[in-house]
Amino acid sequence: MLFRSDNGDLYRVVTTATTDGATASTTSNSATLTVTDTTPPVSSGSITATTTTGTSVSVDYTATDAANGVSSVTVYYSTAANLSSPTSCGSATGLSGSSVSGTITCTIPASDATYYVFTRASDGTNTESAPSSADDSITRDATRPTASVAATSVSAGSTVSVSITLDR
């Protein structure tokens, strides 16, 4: 008997009946096949802005899982390009479907830095592993530039030379 799973895999089930020769045997033409999903979903995230002065960042995500569907997507950030010590900053839960997309609001610290962002999706049984590189990044820069003006003392009607320096 052949069975095709939801993700398209084909399985052949063979049943064997034996008898002791003294009694008649009956053969059933039905069988139960349980296929365990061990494949996690796949997701990605993107940020439209490249810089921000605030702490709220909109992360657009997509996630797919053909076998069980996607149940949640979580966004993480790290200030390290190698994604060490990531922090969860927002999630979408209660999702269903083999392909989902949306926007998650990620809250980052009020510290000026580059934040490397990635997503991880779950199908309720399997969770996507953390990637080796970020899906996207955003730089938070809320430090205002400073300016200084210097002028020498002059008499009325003289030409004045002014020097302005902007520091970041």
Side-chain angles (χ1 to χ4, degrees):
M1 191 174 346
L2 297 177
F3 289 95
R4 185 167 302 276
S5 68
D6 290 340
N7 68 358
D9 292 340
L10 190 61
Y11 296 91
R12 180 177 181 184
V13 177
V14 177
T15 58
T16 305
T18 60
T19 180
D20 61 6
T23 58
S25 72
T26 58
T27 305
S28 171
N29 63 353
S30 66
T32 301
L33 177 66
T34 302
V35 178
T36 303
D37 175 22
T38 59
T39 305
V42 176
S43 68
S44 64
S46 64
I47 304 170
T48 303
T50 57
T51 61
T52 185
T53 58
T55 59
S56 183
V57 177
S58 294
V59 179
D60 298 322
Y61 70 86
T62 60
T64 58
D65 184 88
N68 288 334
V70 178
S71 62
S72 67
V73 176
T74 303
V75 177
Y76 296 83
Y77 71 83
S78 176
T79 55
N82 68 0
L83 306 180
S84 63
S85 303
T87 300
S88 170
C89 61
S91 62
T93 59
L95 304 174
S96 64
S98 60
S99 180
V100 297
S101 62
T103 302
I104 296 172
T105 300
C106 174
T107 303
I108 58 174
S111 302
D112 289 356
T114 297
Y115 293 89
Y116 300 92
V117 176
F118 66 91
T119 58
R120 291 177 67 191
S122 175
D123 63 12
T125 302
N126 305 293
T127 300
E128 181 179 18
S129 297
S132 59
S133 63
D135 291 336
D136 212 337
S137 65
I138 189 164
T139 301
R140 182 183 188 281
D141 185 0
T143 304
R144 297 177 182 216
T146 59
S148 62
V149 177
T152 56
S153 178
V154 293
S155 57
S158 299
T159 302
V160 177
S161 176
V162 178
S163 171
I164 299 175
T165 305
L166 296 176
D167 294 318
R168 192 89 187 135

PDB file of all heavy atoms in Angstrom, residues 91-125:
ATOM      1  N   SER A  91       7.611  39.350  18.795  1.00  0.00           N
ATOM      2  CA  SER A  91       7.198  38.090  18.182  1.00  0.00           C
ATOM      3  C   SER A  91       5.767  38.177  17.673  1.00  0.00           C
ATOM      4  O   SER A  91       4.996  39.040  18.083  1.00  0.00           O
ATOM      5  CB  SER A  91       7.335  36.926  19.167  1.00  0.00           C
ATOM      6  OG  SER A  91       6.488  37.134  20.272  1.00  0.00           O
ATOM      7  N   ALA A  92       5.460  37.266  16.762  1.00  0.00           N
ATOM      8  CA  ALA A  92       4.103  37.073  16.255  1.00  0.00           C
ATOM      9  C   ALA A  92       3.731  35.631  16.587  1.00  0.00           C
ATOM     10  O   ALA A  92       4.458  34.709  16.225  1.00  0.00           O
ATOM     11  CB  ALA A  92       4.047  37.314  14.752  1.00  0.00           C
ATOM     12  N   THR A  93       2.636  35.430  17.315  1.00  0.00           N
ATOM     13  CA  THR A  93       2.220  34.097  17.720  1.00  0.00           C
ATOM     14  C   THR A  93       0.809  33.817  17.194  1.00  0.00           C
ATOM     15  O   THR A  93       0.132  34.721  16.703  1.00  0.00           O
ATOM     16  CB  THR A  93       2.227  33.952  19.251  1.00  0.00           C
ATOM     17  OG1 THR A  93       1.330  34.927  19.803  1.00  0.00           O
ATOM     18  CG2 THR A  93       3.618  34.159  19.820  1.00  0.00           C
ATOM     19  N   GLY A  94       0.391  32.565  17.315  1.00  0.00           N
ATOM     20  CA  GLY A  94      -0.942  32.186  16.854  1.00  0.00           C
ATOM     21  C   GLY A  94      -1.067  32.179  15.344  1.00  0.00           C
ATOM     22  O   GLY A  94      -2.164  32.287  14.802  1.00  0.00           O
ATOM     23  N   LEU A  95       0.055  32.052  14.650  1.00  0.00           N
ATOM     24  CA  LEU A  95       0.044  32.031  13.187  1.00  0.00           C
ATOM     25  C   LEU A  95      -0.377  30.655  12.697  1.00  0.00           C
ATOM     26  O   LEU A  95      -0.260  29.661  13.412  1.00  0.00           O
ATOM     27  CB  LEU A  95       1.439  32.365  12.650  1.00  0.00           C
ATOM     28  CG  LEU A  95       2.058  33.681  13.114  1.00  0.00           C
ATOM     29  CD1 LEU A  95       3.490  33.798  12.616  1.00  0.00           C
ATOM     30  CD2 LEU A  95       1.225  34.858  12.660  1.00  0.00           C
ATOM     31  N   SER A  96      -0.871  30.580  11.482  1.00  0.00           N
ATOM     32  CA  SER A  96      -1.163  29.289  10.866  1.00  0.00           C
ATOM     33  C   SER A  96      -1.029  29.434   9.363  1.00  0.00           C
ATOM     34  O   SER A  96      -1.241  30.500   8.805  1.00  0.00           O
ATOM     35  CB  SER A  96      -2.573  28.813  11.239  1.00  0.00           C
ATOM     36  OG  SER A  96      -3.540  29.693  10.729  1.00  0.00           O
ATOM     37  N   GLY A  97      -0.625  28.366   8.737  1.00  0.00           N
ATOM     38  CA  GLY A  97      -0.440  28.350   7.295  1.00  0.00           C
ATOM     39  C   GLY A  97       0.969  27.946   6.938  1.00  0.00           C
ATOM     40  O   GLY A  97       1.897  28.116   7.730  1.00  0.00           O
ATOM     41  N   SER A  98       1.135  27.424   5.756  1.00  0.00           N
ATOM     42  CA  SER A  98       2.454  26.964   5.326  1.00  0.00           C
ATOM     43  C   SER A  98       3.355  28.123   4.913  1.00  0.00           C
ATOM     44  O   SER A  98       4.571  27.985   4.879  1.00  0.00           O
ATOM     45  CB  SER A  98       2.327  25.974   4.174  1.00  0.00           C
ATOM     46  OG  SER A  98       1.677  26.585   3.077  1.00  0.00           O
ATOM     47  N   SER A  99       2.782  29.291   4.621  1.00  0.00           N
ATOM     48  CA  SER A  99       3.553  30.477   4.276  1.00  0.00           C
ATOM     49  C   SER A  99       2.896  31.677   4.949  1.00  0.00           C
ATOM     50  O   SER A  99       1.718  31.948   4.704  1.00  0.00           O
ATOM     51  CB  SER A  99       3.599  30.658   2.759  1.00  0.00           C
ATOM     52  OG  SER A  99       4.353  31.810   2.421  1.00  0.00           O
ATOM     53  N   VAL A 100       3.637  32.371   5.788  1.00  0.00           N
ATOM     54  CA  VAL A 100       3.100  33.524   6.503  1.00  0.00           C
ATOM     55  C   VAL A 100       4.035  34.716   6.337  1.00  0.00           C
ATOM     56  O   VAL A 100       5.226  34.558   6.074  1.00  0.00           O
ATOM     57  CB  VAL A 100       2.902  33.238   8.011  1.00  0.00           C
ATOM     58  CG1 VAL A 100       1.883  32.133   8.220  1.00  0.00           C
ATOM     59  CG2 VAL A 100       4.207  32.881   8.686  1.00  0.00           C
ATOM     60  N   SER A 101       3.490  35.917   6.475  1.00  0.00           N
ATOM     61  CA  SER A 101       4.293  37.135   6.431  1.00  0.00           C
ATOM     62  C   SER A 101       3.596  38.202   7.260  1.00  0.00           C
ATOM     63  O   SER A 101       2.398  38.106   7.540  1.00  0.00           O
ATOM     64  CB  SER A 101       4.489  37.607   4.989  1.00  0.00           C
ATOM     65  OG  SER A 101       3.243  37.914   4.402  1.00  0.00           O
ATOM     66  N   GLY A 102       4.342  39.193   7.652  1.00  0.00           N
ATOM     67  CA  GLY A 102       3.786  40.274   8.451  1.00  0.00           C
ATOM     68  C   GLY A 102       4.880  41.196   8.927  1.00  0.00           C
ATOM     69  O   GLY A 102       6.003  41.165   8.422  1.00  0.00           O
ATOM     70  N   THR A 103       4.548  42.012   9.917  1.00  0.00           N
ATOM     71  CA  THR A 103       5.491  42.964  10.495  1.00  0.00           C
ATOM     72  C   THR A 103       5.477  42.809  12.006  1.00  0.00           C
ATOM     73  O   THR A 103       4.414  42.739  12.618  1.00  0.00           O
ATOM     74  CB  THR A 103       5.120  44.405  10.108  1.00  0.00           C
ATOM     75  OG1 THR A 103       5.100  44.517   8.682  1.00  0.00           O
ATOM     76  CG2 THR A 103       6.114  45.398  10.680  1.00  0.00           C
ATOM     77  N   ILE A 104       6.650  42.748  12.597  1.00  0.00           N
ATOM     78  CA  ILE A 104       6.813  42.672  14.044  1.00  0.00           C
ATOM     79  C   ILE A 104       7.530  43.935  14.498  1.00  0.00           C
ATOM     80  O   ILE A 104       8.531  44.332  13.891  1.00  0.00           O
ATOM     81  CB  ILE A 104       7.632  41.432  14.457  1.00  0.00           C
ATOM     82  CG1 ILE A 104       6.887  40.154  14.079  1.00  0.00           C
ATOM     83  CG2 ILE A 104       7.952  41.454  15.953  1.00  0.00           C
ATOM     84  CD1 ILE A 104       7.699  38.883  14.265  1.00  0.00           C
ATOM     85  N   THR A 105       7.018  44.577  15.536  1.00  0.00           N
ATOM     86  CA  THR A 105       7.691  45.734  16.109  1.00  0.00           C
ATOM     87  C   THR A 105       8.730  45.243  17.106  1.00  0.00           C
ATOM     88  O   THR A 105       8.406  44.569  18.077  1.00  0.00           O
ATOM     89  CB  THR A 105       6.691  46.674  16.800  1.00  0.00           C
ATOM     90  OG1 THR A 105       5.735  47.116  15.830  1.00  0.00           O
ATOM     91  CG2 THR A 105       7.398  47.873  17.400  1.00  0.00           C
ATOM     92  N   CYS A 106       9.975  45.578  16.831  1.00  0.00           N
ATOM     93  CA  CYS A 106      11.114  45.175  17.654  1.00  0.00           C
ATOM     94  C   CYS A 106      11.542  46.386  18.484  1.00  0.00           C
ATOM     95  O   CYS A 106      11.763  47.464  17.934  1.00  0.00           O
ATOM     96  CB  CYS A 106      12.250  44.722  16.736  1.00  0.00           C
ATOM     97  SG  CYS A 106      13.799  44.346  17.552  1.00  0.00           S
ATOM     98  N   THR A 107      11.647  46.205  19.784  1.00  0.00           N
ATOM     99  CA  THR A 107      12.090  47.287  20.667  1.00  0.00           C
ATOM    100  C   THR A 107      13.560  47.085  20.991  1.00  0.00           C
ATOM    101  O   THR A 107      13.949  46.064  21.558  1.00  0.00           O
ATOM    102  CB  THR A 107      11.258  47.304  21.960  1.00  0.00           C
ATOM    103  OG1 THR A 107       9.873  47.442  21.603  1.00  0.00           O
ATOM    104  CG2 THR A 107      11.663  48.462  22.851  1.00  0.00           C
ATOM    105  N   ILE A 108      14.372  48.080  20.592  1.00  0.00           N
ATOM    106  CA  ILE A 108      15.814  48.025  20.834  1.00  0.00           C
ATOM    107  C   ILE A 108      16.165  48.997  21.973  1.00  0.00           C
ATOM    108  O   ILE A 108      15.387  49.893  22.290  1.00  0.00           O
ATOM    109  CB  ILE A 108      16.624  48.357  19.560  1.00  0.00           C
ATOM    110  CG1 ILE A 108      16.268  49.746  19.022  1.00  0.00           C
ATOM    111  CG2 ILE A 108      16.420  47.284  18.503  1.00  0.00           C
ATOM    112  CD1 ILE A 108      17.121  50.214  17.858  1.00  0.00           C
ATOM    113  N   PRO A 109      17.339  48.837  22.585  1.00  0.00           N
ATOM    114  CA  PRO A 109      17.741  49.746  23.666  1.00  0.00           C
ATOM    115  C   PRO A 109      17.928  51.183  23.171  1.00  0.00           C
ATOM    116  O   PRO A 109      18.138  51.427  21.980  1.00  0.00           O
ATOM    117  CB  PRO A 109      19.073  49.173  24.142  1.00  0.00           C
ATOM    118  CG  PRO A 109      19.072  47.757  23.704  1.00  0.00           C
ATOM    119  CD  PRO A 109      18.299  47.739  22.417  1.00  0.00           C
ATOM    120  N   ALA A 110      17.894  52.116  24.110  1.00  0.00           N
ATOM    121  CA  ALA A 110      18.097  53.528  23.795  1.00  0.00           C
ATOM    122  C   ALA A 110      19.588  53.857  23.802  1.00  0.00           C
ATOM    123  O   ALA A 110      20.010  54.872  24.347  1.00  0.00           O
ATOM    124  CB  ALA A 110      17.328  54.394  24.787  1.00  0.00           C
ATOM    125  N   SER A 111      20.389  53.003  23.224  1.00  0.00           N
ATOM    126  CA  SER A 111      21.841  53.188  23.132  1.00  0.00           C
ATOM    127  C   SER A 111      22.230  53.247  21.666  1.00  0.00           C
ATOM    128  O   SER A 111      21.787  52.413  20.869  1.00  0.00           O
ATOM    129  CB  SER A 111      22.576  52.011  23.781  1.00  0.00           C
ATOM    130  OG  SER A 111      22.193  51.861  25.123  1.00  0.00           O
ATOM    131  N   ASP A 112      23.047  54.230  21.315  1.00  0.00           N
ATOM    132  CA  ASP A 112      23.499  54.337  19.936  1.00  0.00           C
ATOM    133  C   ASP A 112      24.405  53.169  19.587  1.00  0.00           C
ATOM    134  O   ASP A 112      25.396  52.916  20.278  1.00  0.00           O
ATOM    135  CB  ASP A 112      24.239  55.654  19.715  1.00  0.00           C
ATOM    136  CG  ASP A 112      23.312  56.862  19.746  1.00  0.00           C
ATOM    137  OD1 ASP A 112      22.085  56.651  19.862  1.00  0.00           O
ATOM    138  OD2 ASP A 112      23.811  57.995  19.636  1.00  0.00           O
ATOM    139  N   ALA A 113      24.040  52.435  18.543  1.00  0.00           N
ATOM    140  CA  ALA A 113      24.800  51.271  18.104  1.00  0.00           C
ATOM    141  C   ALA A 113      24.195  50.764  16.809  1.00  0.00           C
ATOM    142  O   ALA A 113      23.116  51.192  16.393  1.00  0.00           O
ATOM    143  CB  ALA A 113      24.756  50.158  19.157  1.00  0.00           C
ATOM    144  N   THR A 114      24.878  49.824  16.173  1.00  0.00           N
ATOM    145  CA  THR A 114      24.295  49.091  15.052  1.00  0.00           C
ATOM    146  C   THR A 114      23.686  47.823  15.623  1.00  0.00           C
ATOM    147  O   THR A 114      24.338  47.093  16.376  1.00  0.00           O
ATOM    148  CB  THR A 114      25.360  48.749  13.999  1.00  0.00           C
ATOM    149  OG1 THR A 114      25.872  49.981  13.467  1.00  0.00           O
ATOM    150  CG2 THR A 114      24.773  47.912  12.864  1.00  0.00           C
ATOM    151  N   TYR A 115      22.423  47.579  15.279  1.00  0.00           N
ATOM    152  CA  TYR A 115      21.702  46.405  15.766  1.00  0.00           C
ATOM    153  C   TYR A 115      21.504  45.437  14.606  1.00  0.00           C
ATOM    154  O   TYR A 115      20.908  45.802  13.586  1.00  0.00           O
ATOM    155  CB  TYR A 115      20.365  46.816  16.394  1.00  0.00           C
ATOM    156  CG  TYR A 115      20.570  47.608  17.657  1.00  0.00           C
ATOM    157  CD1 TYR A 115      20.694  48.987  17.629  1.00  0.00           C
ATOM    158  CD2 TYR A 115      20.700  46.953  18.875  1.00  0.00           C
ATOM    159  CE1 TYR A 115      20.923  49.705  18.792  1.00  0.00           C
ATOM    160  CE2 TYR A 115      20.929  47.665  20.046  1.00  0.00           C
ATOM    161  CZ  TYR A 115      21.043  49.038  19.991  1.00  0.00           C
ATOM    162  OH  TYR A 115      21.271  49.746  21.142  1.00  0.00           O
ATOM    163  N   TYR A 116      22.021  44.220  14.760  1.00  0.00           N
ATOM    164  CA  TYR A 116      21.907  43.173  13.758  1.00  0.00           C
ATOM    165  C   TYR A 116      20.673  42.342  14.106  1.00  0.00           C
ATOM    166  O   TYR A 116      20.541  41.864  15.230  1.00  0.00           O
ATOM    167  CB  TYR A 116      23.171  42.316  13.734  1.00  0.00           C
ATOM    168  CG  TYR A 116      24.393  43.141  13.402  1.00  0.00           C
ATOM    169  CD1 TYR A 116      25.167  43.711  14.414  1.00  0.00           C
ATOM    170  CD2 TYR A 116      24.746  43.380  12.077  1.00  0.00           C
ATOM    171  CE1 TYR A 116      26.264  44.498  14.115  1.00  0.00           C
ATOM    172  CE2 TYR A 116      25.857  44.164  11.772  1.00  0.00           C
ATOM    173  CZ  TYR A 116      26.604  44.720  12.791  1.00  0.00           C
ATOM    174  OH  TYR A 116      27.697  45.499  12.487  1.00  0.00           O
ATOM    175  N   VAL A 117      19.772  42.180  13.151  1.00  0.00           N
ATOM    176  CA  VAL A 117      18.467  41.578  13.400  1.00  0.00           C
ATOM    177  C   VAL A 117      18.321  40.275  12.620  1.00  0.00           C
ATOM    178  O   VAL A 117      18.762  40.174  11.470  1.00  0.00           O
ATOM    179  CB  VAL A 117      17.358  42.574  12.988  1.00  0.00           C
ATOM    180  CG1 VAL A 117      15.980  41.967  13.122  1.00  0.00           C
ATOM    181  CG2 VAL A 117      17.461  43.841  13.819  1.00  0.00           C
ATOM    182  N   PHE A 118      17.677  39.271  13.262  1.00  0.00           N
ATOM    183  CA  PHE A 118      17.341  38.026  12.563  1.00  0.00           C
ATOM    184  C   PHE A 118      16.049  37.475  13.123  1.00  0.00           C
ATOM    185  O   PHE A 118      15.603  37.864  14.203  1.00  0.00           O
ATOM    186  CB  PHE A 118      18.483  36.999  12.643  1.00  0.00           C
ATOM    187  CG  PHE A 118      18.775  36.483  14.032  1.00  0.00           C
ATOM    188  CD1 PHE A 118      18.150  35.338  14.514  1.00  0.00           C
ATOM    189  CD2 PHE A 118      19.689  37.135  14.852  1.00  0.00           C
ATOM    190  CE1 PHE A 118      18.427  34.852  15.778  1.00  0.00           C
ATOM    191  CE2 PHE A 118      19.974  36.652  16.123  1.00  0.00           C
ATOM    192  CZ  PHE A 118      19.342  35.512  16.588  1.00  0.00           C
ATOM    193  N   THR A 119      15.433  36.558  12.374  1.00  0.00           N
ATOM    194  CA  THR A 119      14.177  35.933  12.786  1.00  0.00           C
ATOM    195  C   THR A 119      14.379  34.436  12.974  1.00  0.00           C
ATOM    196  O   THR A 119      15.278  33.837  12.372  1.00  0.00           O
ATOM    197  CB  THR A 119      13.064  36.148  11.742  1.00  0.00           C
ATOM    198  OG1 THR A 119      13.500  35.606  10.488  1.00  0.00           O
ATOM    199  CG2 THR A 119      12.735  37.617  11.567  1.00  0.00           C
ATOM    200  N   ARG A 120      13.524  33.856  13.814  1.00  0.00           N
ATOM    201  CA  ARG A 120      13.465  32.403  13.990  1.00  0.00           C
ATOM    202  C   ARG A 120      11.992  32.021  14.028  1.00  0.00           C
ATOM    203  O   ARG A 120      11.210  32.617  14.770  1.00  0.00           O
ATOM    204  CB  ARG A 120      14.148  31.971  15.282  1.00  0.00           C
ATOM    205  CG  ARG A 120      15.661  32.163  15.265  1.00  0.00           C
ATOM    206  CD  ARG A 120      16.297  31.790  16.575  1.00  0.00           C
ATOM    207  NE  ARG A 120      16.176  30.347  16.803  1.00  0.00           N
ATOM    208  CZ  ARG A 120      16.457  29.777  17.964  1.00  0.00           C
ATOM    209  NH1 ARG A 120      16.842  30.494  19.000  1.00  0.00           N
ATOM    210  NH2 ARG A 120      16.332  28.476  18.114  1.00  0.00           N
ATOM    211  N   ALA A 121      11.619  31.018  13.238  1.00  0.00           N
ATOM    212  CA  ALA A 121      10.229  30.569  13.169  1.00  0.00           C
ATOM    213  C   ALA A 121      10.085  29.206  13.834  1.00  0.00           C
ATOM    214  O   ALA A 121      11.039  28.435  13.930  1.00  0.00           O
ATOM    215  CB  ALA A 121       9.777  30.487  11.713  1.00  0.00           C
ATOM    216  N   SER A 122       8.843  28.916  14.282  1.00  0.00           N
ATOM    217  CA  SER A 122       8.535  27.630  14.898  1.00  0.00           C
ATOM    218  C   SER A 122       7.260  27.086  14.276  1.00  0.00           C
ATOM    219  O   SER A 122       6.374  27.853  13.881  1.00  0.00           O
ATOM    220  CB  SER A 122       8.353  27.802  16.407  1.00  0.00           C
ATOM    221  OG  SER A 122       7.937  26.585  16.992  1.00  0.00           O
ATOM    222  N   ASP A 123       7.172  25.748  14.203  1.00  0.00           N
ATOM    223  CA  ASP A 123       5.937  25.118  13.731  1.00  0.00           C
ATOM    224  C   ASP A 123       5.198  24.446  14.886  1.00  0.00           C
ATOM    225  O   ASP A 123       4.286  23.664  14.685  1.00  0.00           O
ATOM    226  CB  ASP A 123       6.213  24.121  12.600  1.00  0.00           C
ATOM    227  CG  ASP A 123       7.095  22.943  13.016  1.00  0.00           C
ATOM    228  OD1 ASP A 123       7.325  22.745  14.218  1.00  0.00           O
ATOM    229  OD2 ASP A 123       7.548  22.219  12.114  1.00  0.00           O
ATOM    230  N   GLY A 124       5.616  24.760  16.109  1.00  0.00           N
ATOM    231  CA  GLY A 124       5.006  24.158  17.282  1.00  0.00           C
ATOM    232  C   GLY A 124       5.785  22.963  17.800  1.00  0.00           C
ATOM    233  O   GLY A 124       5.729  22.633  18.974  1.00  0.00           O
ATOM    234  N   THR A 125       6.534  22.313  16.917  1.00  0.00           N
ATOM    235  CA  THR A 125       7.357  21.165  17.293  1.00  0.00           C
ATOM    236  C   THR A 125       8.835  21.473  17.084  1.00  0.00           C
ATOM    237  O   THR A 125       9.663  21.154  17.917  1.00  0.00           O
ATOM    238  CB  THR A 125       6.980  19.926  16.450  1.00  0.00           C
ATOM    239  OG1 THR A 125       5.592  19.654  16.644  1.00  0.00           O
ATOM    240  CG2 THR A 125       7.789  18.718  16.848  1.00  0.00           C
TER     241      THR A 125
END
